[in-house]
C-alpha cells in the first residue's frame, strides 16, 4: 500500500486508477490496481513499451487522448 501511495504522489495525473507520470519526452502509465501492468508512450500517444494487453492499452490511450490537456506541464 505504501508503494501505491508513493507512486500516486509522484504522478502528474491520475485517471480511473491509472497513474500518468511524465519523464523526459515519455509518459509512464501504471495501473495502480495491478502494478505489473504498465505502459510507456510518447507524448503523441505512440506505444513504446508495455505489459498491458491490447484492450487495456486501448482504454488507457483513450484516457490519455481525452485528458492529456490536464497533465501537469514541466514548464509551468
Amino acid at each position: 500500500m505504501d508503494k501505491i501511495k508513493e507512486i500516486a504522489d509522484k504522478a502528474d495525473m491520475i485517471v480511473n486508477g491509472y497513474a500518468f507520470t511524465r519523464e523526459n519526452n515519455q509518459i509512464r502509465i501504471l495501473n495502480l490496481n495491478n502494478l505489473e501492468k504498465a505502459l510507456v508512450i510518447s507524448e503523441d500517444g505512440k506505444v513504446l513499451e508495455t505489459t498491458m494487453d491490447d484492450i487495456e492499452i486501448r482504454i488507457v490511450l483513450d484516457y490519455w487522448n481525452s485528458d492529456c490537456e490536464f497533465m501537469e506541464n514541466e514548464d509551468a
Side-chain angles (χ1 to χ4, degrees):
M1 187 68 167
D2 290 333
K3 184 169 180 104
I4 294 171
K5 182 177 178 349
E6 180 182 335
I7 293 166
D9 287 344
K10 289 181 181 179
D12 297 300
M13 174 175 76
I14 297 176
V15 179
N16 207 20
Y18 292 93
F20 292 74
T21 307
R22 184 184 313 270
E23 290 184 12
N24 301 318
N25 293 328
Q26 298 178 344
I27 309 301
R28 297 186 175 275
I29 305 163
L30 186 63
N31 182 337
L32 295 174
N33 296 309
N34 182 350
L35 299 181
E36 295 179 7
K37 300 293 184 175
L39 176 64
V40 179
I41 61 173
S42 61
E43 288 186 331
D44 63 354
K46 180 180 175 188
V47 175
L48 303 174
E49 297 178 49
T50 189
T51 57
M52 295 179 181
D53 61 44
D54 291 343
I55 295 171
E56 189 172 16
I57 291 170
R58 182 73 261 155
I59 292 167
V60 172
L61 289 177
D62 286 346
Y63 290 148
W64 172 250
N65 290 325
S66 66
D67 296 331
C68 65
E69 66 187 280
F70 303 110
M71 184 84 155
E72 292 181 3
N73 191 338
E74 292 178 348
D75 298 332

